[in-house]
């Protein structure tokens, strides 16, 4: 009884001390142990509402992988927050030396970069104690820097969140309730840095004067350090201003941002060469969770903010590498500004596709997406989406319904139909563009998923085409209305299907014994359709332009130059597509030849069925009606070699393959100003051409080593090695 | 045999009476966990629901520390140092 009274008294006391649930604890350790002993082996004692299934999802305490809290206790040293550290004097908030400032700024940048690579904010940027409360800092430079860095982090987070093209492996959006210096305006933050920069520059000039008047090496060293600090302050000032410029909703800040990026790139080199001037980490034991840091950084400060099970091992990037990373990031950001030159969906799609091939980081991807479509949902912050789509359709197929000077254009009902179709197209077309912004590995699934929507859009477009055809026939029976809208949608459907199929190579999903049907599908179906779609679109445009010219006064209007420009871009694309088709044709014939020559390993699994693999690979295409899905039996029929008379031998196939590669090479070489990628592919086509030539001449005929496909030069086009 | 099984029954009854009550477990590394007792077995592995983790025993430290929310947690029997159960206050008042 006494004990109980005491415990109640304690309860009362604790009630005064702190709020929260009050317990009436009673030690039952021994009873519990004894009672557990009475259970059978494997018997679980639980309530009816709790079962083995629920038990499985519990995290296991004291397990290295599951129990994050375990780590805190294994660290011998004490983890202190900013306030405590300042009181103890372990972290300085005033009179920091230049070495310290350089070190802190560089280490912070390394943290930001690590965060951008997908780590949690708590384990990266906020291991910097200064950022927890910049108001405690007296040093002007450090204070301005800390506030500015918080702003930068907040802006980056905002951009990435708004663009919505990240996955959990790209980016951790959680902020854990850290304050991002909201009490200081953006303008003030930039101003603070500017003031500090001016002061530093004054000191730089002063010291320079001292050196010129013959001061010792000490001054020279001081000069170096002063310059290093001032360059960094300038860099962060530019970084913040650049992000602010990019955040403008009407994209009017992009040219300014481009200028700022150029200025930032200029200070990268001086920053990199002065990294060694900053304070470096002290010697301390490196463990899986704890690593040595410089003053002001505490890797474990936020350990308790993390969810119970969390990857606890965050490797902060080295300062050197993080500067290189920023350098690449800036160059890519510079590239993203080119999207503004795009006049149609087609142009934007090309820019996004090319950009994605660089496997850019999540920030650049997000900014590119937002430059194209800011939160206002207007293209480049200015054009209405449906208008932009109409312009794109006009540029691609020039349908009479969208072209002034035709009877259809002024028909109210026609306009209604076309408008409805464009409104309907906004979502799928925007999805096509948005998927290009996701990371490469995620795109495959998203392409597959989108095909459903593309198929129903195709349906609508075909219906509108049908209706317009009827209207046109009534108005002018001599001029049929082509399937303009259908062709336009088909182009994107095919792009999506090709994107899906090709991503399998990049992700290394296909085994060499699968190549024959993949190459066949690409060569015989997807690229063949794409090529003819582009041709058809081109003929629509030229037909219609000829018609308009014949209607309006002849000889007037110098639109020829404009037309030429258009057809140049189109010619380039159609050449590339044709060349790609020939490449895949070459690979297809080569693979079949290698199979016949026993130079390709075929698996010999039990229960192996090619049909299952084939169906699985092309399953997403089933929902698309044009182009129709080729089933496995159809594929088998179409590719049966006995259809030919005489049945081709391996040598024949190598000869055909040889021709295809040659044709591809010729087509690629006809493209003016070839990009680096095209030059690479020309080289690959040439190498493969030579290989096939050799094989068709009987080279290594008796040699039964399996052929090798070397993707090291290009992700899609391998070099065949025998 | 029958006497043993009645002991067994008593043990199980006791454990059963503790189900869904608050439990405080101290672990070998000094941390304290407080949560709802949900499940146990012969090796006295315990599963606590809505579990909170304290670095120091919450009653002894002068300043109440912010607990960390763990959710559903399983504590292996050999890491358990002591177990406390939250006694029903009403019953206790009756006793008094």
């Amino acid at each position: 009884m006494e004990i109980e009274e005491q415990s109640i008294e304690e309860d009362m006391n604790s009630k005064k001390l702190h709020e929260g649930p009050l317990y009436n604890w009673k030690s039952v350790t021994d009873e519990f142990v004894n009672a557990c002993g009475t259970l059978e082996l494997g018997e679980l004692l639980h309530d009816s509402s709790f079962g083995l299934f629920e038990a499985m999802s519990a995290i296991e305490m004291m397990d290295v992988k599951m129990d994050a809290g375990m780590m805190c206790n294994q660290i011998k040293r004490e983890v202190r927050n900013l306030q405590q550290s300042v009181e103890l004097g372990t972290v300085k908030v005033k009179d920091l030396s230049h070495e310290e400032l350089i070190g802190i700024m560089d280490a912070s940048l390394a943290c930001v970069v690590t965060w951008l690579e997908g780590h949690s904010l708590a384990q990266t940027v906020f291991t910097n104690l200064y950022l927890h409360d910049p108001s405690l800092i007296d040093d002007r430079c450090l204070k301005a820097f800390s506030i500015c860095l918080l702003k930068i982090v907040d802006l980056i987070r905002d951009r990435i969140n708004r663009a919505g093209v990240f996955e959990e492996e790209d980016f951790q959006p959680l902020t854990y309730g850290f304050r991002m210096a909201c009490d200081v305006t953006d303008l003030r933050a930039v101003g603070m840095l500017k003031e500090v920069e001016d002061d530093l520059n004054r000191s730089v000039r002063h010291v320079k004067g001292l050196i010129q008047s013959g001061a010792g090496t000490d001054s020279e060293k001081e000069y170096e350090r002063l310059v290093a600090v001032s360059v960094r302050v300038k860099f962060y000032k530019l970084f913040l201003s650049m992000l602010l410029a990019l955040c403008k909703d009407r994209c009017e800040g992009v040219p300014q941002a481009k200028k700022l990026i150029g200025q930032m790139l200029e200070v990268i080199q001086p920053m990199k060469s002065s990294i060694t001037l900053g304070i470096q980490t002290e010697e301390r034991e490196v463990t899986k969770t704890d690593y040595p840091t410089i003053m002001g950084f505490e890797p474990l400060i936020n350990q308790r903010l993390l969810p119970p099970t969390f990857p606890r091992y965050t490797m902060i990037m080295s300062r050197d590498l993080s500067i290189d990373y920023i350098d690449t990031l800036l160059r890519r950001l510079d590239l993203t500004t080119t999207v503004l030159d795009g006049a149609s969906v087609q142009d934007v799609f090309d820019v996004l596709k090319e950009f994605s091939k660089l496997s850019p980081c999540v920030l650049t991807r997000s900014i590119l997406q937002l430059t194209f479509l800011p939160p206002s949902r207007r293209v480049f912050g200015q054009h209405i989406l449906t208008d932009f789509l109409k312009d794109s359709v006009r540029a691609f197929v020039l349908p009479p319904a969208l072209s002034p000077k035709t009877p259809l254009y002024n028909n109210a009902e026609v306009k209604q139909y076309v408008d409805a179709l464009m409104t309907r197209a906004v979502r799928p077309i925007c999805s096509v563009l948005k998927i290009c912004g996701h990371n490469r590995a995620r795109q495959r699934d998203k392409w597959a998923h989108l095909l459903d929507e593309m198929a129903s859009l195709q349906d609508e477009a075909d219906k509108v085409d049908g209706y317009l055809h009827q209207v046109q026939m009534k108005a002018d029976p001599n001029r049929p209305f082509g399937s303009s809208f259908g062709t336009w949608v088909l182009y994107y459907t095919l792009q999506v299907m090709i994107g899906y199929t090709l991503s399998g190579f990049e992700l290394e999903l296909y085994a060499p014994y699968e190549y024959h049907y993949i190459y066949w599908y690409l060569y015989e179906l997807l690229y063949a359709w794409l090529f003819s779609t582009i041709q058809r679109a081109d003929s629509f445009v030229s037909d219609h332009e000829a018609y308009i010219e014949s209607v309006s006064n002849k000889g007037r209007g110098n639109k020829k130059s404009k037309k030429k420009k258009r057809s140049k871009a189109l010619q380039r694309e159609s050449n590339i597509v044709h060349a790609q088709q020939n490449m895949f044709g070459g690979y297809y014939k080569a693979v079949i030849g290698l199979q016949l020559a026993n130079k390709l390993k075929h698996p010999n699994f039990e229960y192996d069925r090619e049909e299952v693999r084939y169906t699985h690979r092309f399953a997403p295409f089933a929902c698309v009606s044009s182009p129709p899905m080729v089933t496995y039996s159809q594929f088998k029929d179409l590719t049966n070699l006995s259809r030919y008379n005489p049945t081709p031998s391996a040598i024949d196939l190598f000869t055909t393959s040889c021709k295809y590669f040659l044709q591809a090479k010729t087509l690629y070489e006809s493209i003016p100003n070839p990009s680096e990628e095209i030059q690479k592919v020309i080289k690959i086509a040439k190498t493969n051409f030579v290989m096939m030539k050799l094989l068709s001449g009987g080279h290594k005929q008796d040699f039964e080593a399996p052929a090798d496909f070397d993707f090291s030069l290009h992700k899609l086009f391998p070099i065949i090695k025998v | 045999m029958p006497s043993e099984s009645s002991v067994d029954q008593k043990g199980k009854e006791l454990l059963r009476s503790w189900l869904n009550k608050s439990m405080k477990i101290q672990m070998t590394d000094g941390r304290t966990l407080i949560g709802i007792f949900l499940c146990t077995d012969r090796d006295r592995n315990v599963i606590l629901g809505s579990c909170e983790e304290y670095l120091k025993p919450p009653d002894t430290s002068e300043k109440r520390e912010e607990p960390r929310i763990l959710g559903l947690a399983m504590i292996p029997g050999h890491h358990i140092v002591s177990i406390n159960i939250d006694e029903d206050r009403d019953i206790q008042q009756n006793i008094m």
Side-chain angles (χ1 to χ4, degrees):
Chain A
M1 278 306 261
E2 244 182 57
I3 297 165
E4 273 171 15
E5 264 172 26
Q6 214 177 344
S7 82
I8 288 182
E9 211 164 88
E10 264 176 28
D11 267 7
M12 301 297 273
N13 282 337
S14 61
K15 199 173 194 170
K16 283 172 210 156
L17 274 173
H18 43 69
E19 287 161 24
L22 284 180
Y23 299 108
N24 183 26
W25 295 123
K26 181 186 164 203
S27 176
V28 290
T29 317
D30 295 333
E31 291 106 302
F32 193 90
V33 172
N34 290 335
C36 282
T38 64
L39 295 170
E40 302 286 326
L41 178 67
E43 183 183 358
L44 285 183
L45 184 119
H46 58 84
D47 220 0
S48 55
S49 60
F50 188 86
L52 191 58
F53 183 75
E54 284 82 5
M56 294 300 291
S57 60
I59 61 162
E60 189 177 328
M61 300 308 290
M62 299 303 285
D63 178 277
V64 196
K65 288 211 176 87
M66 289 193 243
D67 183 7
M70 202 178 137
M71 295 303 167
C72 304
N73 294 350
Q74 288 184 344
I75 303 298
K76 298 286 184 298
R77 81 197 152 75
E78 204 178 326
V79 173
R80 299 190 194 95
N81 65 22
L82 181 61
Q83 184 99 46
Q84 294 164 331
S85 308
V86 170
E87 278 162 15
L88 269 165
T90 51
V91 168
K92 287 205 258 177
V93 286
K94 56 179 156 194
D95 306 326
L96 278 90
S97 70
H98 292 141
E99 289 98 323
E100 284 165 341
L101 286 173
I102 297 168
I104 290 169
M105 288 193 214
D106 287 350
S108 304
L109 188 68
C111 289
V112 171
V113 166
T114 312
W115 170 55
L116 280 177
E117 279 293 270
H119 289 282
S120 131
L121 206 50
Q123 285 177 305
T124 56
V125 178
F126 281 98
T127 60
N128 180 344
L129 295 176
Y130 291 118
L131 300 181
H132 289 231
D133 193 356
S135 65
L136 290 178
I137 308 170
D138 290 331
D139 187 284
R140 276 178 65 215
C141 177
L142 186 60
K143 186 171 192 160
F145 163 75
S146 301
I147 289 172
C148 170
L149 194 67
L150 285 172
K151 292 262 176 211
I152 289 173
V153 165
D154 199 32
L155 284 170
I156 291 177
R157 194 183 58 83
D158 175 70
R159 292 287 94 184
I160 296 177
N161 273 331
R162 278 181 197 270
V165 285
F166 64 91
E167 313 282 344
E168 55 178 355
E169 68 270 24
D170 295 321
F171 183 67
Q172 301 284 333
L174 265 183
T175 54
Y176 305 95
F178 285 115
R179 279 168 302 144
M180 301 288 187
C182 311
D183 45 344
V184 183
T185 63
D186 297 336
L187 217 64
R188 179 77 198 107
V190 176
M192 283 167 90
L193 277 174
K194 181 89 184 83
E195 284 163 24
V196 172
E197 193 195 353
D198 289 346
D199 281 358
L200 282 166
N201 284 340
R202 223 165 289 139
S203 311
V204 167
R205 277 196 296 278
H206 174 68
V207 176
K208 199 171 184 180
L210 282 182
I211 294 172
Q212 275 163 353
S213 60
T217 44
D218 277 0
S219 306
E220 274 174 33
K221 276 189 180 148
E222 197 193 340
Y223 176 72
E224 267 182 36
R225 290 193 288 261
L226 267 172
V227 172
V229 176
S230 117
V231 153
R232 281 167 174 72
V233 170
K234 184 176 179 193
F235 171 82
Y236 288 103
K237 184 195 76 187
L238 291 170
F239 199 176
L240 180 57
S241 320
M242 188 263 293
L243 286 172
L244 287 170
L246 284 174
C247 285
K248 291 185 178 159
D249 206 37
R250 298 174 63 86
C251 294
E252 67 270 35
V254 174
Q256 198 206 344
K258 200 173 161 70
K259 208 177 86 198
L260 291 169
I261 290 169
Q263 291 176 4
M264 284 172 82
L265 283 168
E266 278 168 26
V267 298
I268 289 277
Q269 197 44 47
M271 273 174 81
K272 198 173 171 182
S273 58
S274 55
I275 287 176
T276 46
L277 295 181
I279 47 167
Q280 306 294 327
T281 51
E282 60 205 79
E283 290 295 316
R284 196 204 285 163
E285 188 197 4
V286 181
T287 64
K288 275 214 144 188
T289 49
D290 195 16
Y291 48 87
T293 54
I294 57 171
M295 177 184 76
F297 288 78
E298 174 51 72
L300 294 172
I301 186 71
N302 300 315
Q303 198 67 9
R304 295 182 66 76
L305 290 177
L306 303 174
T309 59
F310 201 78
R312 283 155 305 279
Y313 190 41
T314 300
M315 222 1 219
I316 303 287
M317 210 183 259
S318 77
R319 296 181 197 178
D320 269 305
L321 283 177
S322 57
I323 294 265
D324 291 342
Y325 185 97
I326 291 288
D327 185 58
T328 322
L329 185 141
L330 289 173
R331 285 174 204 286
R332 292 197 174 142
L333 268 185
D334 196 34
L335 274 183
T336 63
T337 54
T338 57
V339 76
L340 274 182
D341 304 333
S344 65
V345 174
Q346 181 66 43
D347 297 344
V348 174
F349 181 57
D350 284 343
V351 172
L352 290 174
K353 224 170 39 167
E354 284 304 312
F355 190 71
S356 174
K357 281 185 193 164
L358 305 169
S359 301
C361 75
V362 64
L363 176 62
T364 46
R365 282 189 272 132
S366 303
I367 287 183
L368 178 55
Q369 288 286 324
L370 288 175
T371 310
F372 164 62
L373 207 61
S376 63
R377 298 289 293 169
R378 276 166 176 257
V379 178
F380 309 136
Q382 299 176 16
H383 316 292
I384 295 167
L385 259 166
T386 45
D387 289 348
F388 189 70
L389 287 189
K390 273 186 204 168
D391 286 343
S392 309
V393 178
R394 211 173 279 140
F396 190 67
V397 283
L398 196 61
L402 279 177
S403 145
K405 296 180 188 171
T406 56
L408 278 187
Y409 186 71
N410 296 319
N411 184 326
E413 207 175 340
V414 167
K415 196 174 173 328
Q416 205 183 340
Y417 271 71
V418 173
D419 283 349
L421 179 68
M422 288 297 116
T423 312
R424 174 77 181 68
V426 163
R427 223 181 89 104
I429 295 294
C430 285
S431 298
V432 171
L433 299 175
K434 192 172 179 181
I435 288 172
C436 297
H438 279 272
N439 76 49
R440 298 292 277 175
R442 291 280 187 161
Q443 286 181 9
R444 186 175 164 86
D445 264 0
K446 294 186 188 294
W447 290 132
H449 205 70
L450 185 62
L451 277 173
D452 249 341
E453 230 176 307
M454 293 307 289
S456 64
L457 180 64
Q458 182 80 61
D459 236 30
E460 299 279 325
D462 290 343
K463 274 183 207 156
V464 172
D465 279 338
Y467 163 78
L468 291 178
H469 180 70
Q470 283 176 4
V471 178
Q472 172 76 32
M473 289 319 268
K474 270 181 214 158
D476 184 358
N478 299 322
R479 272 188 54 77
F481 184 91
S483 53
S484 315
F485 291 104
T487 305
W488 183 68
V489 175
L490 180 61
Y491 174 82
Y492 288 101
T493 308
L494 287 167
Q495 290 286 7
V496 171
M497 292 170 94
I498 287 171
Y500 169 80
T501 315
L502 292 185
S503 66
F505 285 112
E506 200 178 331
L507 302 174
E508 295 173 33
L509 300 180
Y510 307 136
Y513 54 81
E514 288 184 286
Y515 285 169
H516 61 284
Y517 49 81
I518 305 283
Y519 283 136
W520 181 84
Y521 219 102
L522 283 165
Y523 153 68
E524 196 74 55
L525 210 92
L526 299 177
Y527 272 100
W529 275 66
L530 185 62
F531 185 61
S532 69
T533 305
I534 294 172
Q535 299 282 316
R536 192 161 63 245
D538 192 32
S539 71
F540 283 148
V541 176
S542 43
D543 277 2
H544 193 74
E545 274 174 353
Y547 166 74
I548 289 177
E549 225 161 281
S550 71
V551 169
S552 56
N553 289 340
K554 276 169 204 165
R556 241 192 7 176
N558 276 327
K559 280 181 188 166
K560 264 191 182 162
S561 60
K562 199 182 164 194
K563 193 188 158 193
K564 230 180 206 168
K565 197 180 158 201
R566 194 200 104 86
S567 58
K568 225 185 229 169
L570 194 102
Q571 192 59 40
R572 186 187 171 91
E573 200 197 355
S574 102
N575 269 350
I576 291 179
V577 167
H578 200 191
Q580 279 172 323
Q581 191 197 358
N582 274 293
M583 286 296 277
F584 289 120
Y587 284 120
Y588 170 62
K589 298 289 177 190
V591 168
I592 300 293
L594 291 169
Q595 276 179 356
L596 288 179
N598 262 334
K599 282 187 173 40
L600 207 60
K601 246 198 220 155
H602 207 81
N604 208 5
F605 313 130
E606 207 178 347
Y607 308 118
D608 178 49
R609 272 180 78 188
E610 195 175 77
E611 183 174 359
V612 175
R613 285 198 299 268
Y614 178 97
T615 317
H616 174 71
R617 289 299 182 210
F618 301 117
F621 298 170
C623 63
V624 182
S625 51
S626 52
M629 163 93 186
V630 178
T631 62
Y632 183 71
S633 55
Q634 284 167 320
F635 161 73
K636 271 309 207 193
D637 276 351
L638 287 166
T639 57
N640 198 338
L641 289 179
S642 60
R643 280 157 58 100
Y644 301 94
N645 195 17
T647 312
S649 66
I651 301 275
D652 297 330
L653 286 160
F654 291 139
T655 314
T656 333
S657 164
C658 189
K659 278 181 201 152
Y660 278 118
F661 282 124
L662 182 64
Q663 173 75 2
K665 182 172 151 286
T666 321
L667 280 163
Y668 273 125
E669 280 169 349
S670 72
I671 295 165
N673 316 321
S675 64
E676 208 179 306
E677 192 194 347
I678 291 179
Q679 285 169 15
K680 260 189 212 166
V681 180
I682 291 177
K683 212 165 130 194
I684 294 166
K686 210 152 123 191
T687 318
N688 284 338
F689 163 73
V690 173
M691 192 70 220
M692 289 302 122
K693 192 98 189 154
L694 286 173
L695 283 174
S696 65
H699 175 69
K700 287 193 177 173
Q701 208 162 22
D702 315 313
F703 197 65
E704 282 209 357
D708 187 33
F709 295 84
D710 178 8
F711 285 90
S712 56
L713 216 54
H714 194 273
K715 285 172 190 160
L716 305 179
F717 303 116
I719 289 176
I720 304 174
K721 289 181 174 163
V722 180
Chain B
M1 284 302 278
S3 67
E4 254 183 55
S5 77
S6 81
V7 170
D8 281 7
Q9 279 308 317
K10 256 197 174 148
K12 280 182 201 174
E13 283 296 306
L14 188 61
L15 286 173
R16 217 166 265 289
S17 72
W18 287 332
L19 278 176
N20 300 320
K21 284 190 180 166
S22 291
M23 184 178 265
K24 182 171 79 173
I25 292 180
Q26 213 169 25
M27 295 204 301
T28 45
D29 71 343
R31 276 181 290 167
T32 304
L33 303 174
I34 295 178
I36 312 290
F37 174 48
L38 292 175
C39 179
T40 190
D41 65 2
R42 194 167 81 160
D43 301 319
R44 63 181 194 286
N45 299 315
V46 176
I47 296 183
L48 296 183
S50 315
C51 188
E52 293 178 341
E53 176 201 277
Y54 294 82
L55 285 186
K56 300 183 188 100
D59 328 299
T60 56
S61 55
E62 320 85 59
K63 224 170 71 185
R64 188 183 162 87
E65 64 169 290
E66 201 53 40
R68 195 167 69 111
I69 311 296
L70 294 183
L72 198 61
M74 193 275 277
I75 306 100
H78 60 276
H79 281 303
I80 296 177
V81 175
S82 76
I83 300 176
N84 282 266
I85 198 86
D86 185 24
E87 280 277 272
D88 219 326
R89 229 171 300 273
D90 292 341
I91 297 170
Q92 202 170 33
Q93 271 158 3
N94 287 346
I95 296 168
M96 283 167 72

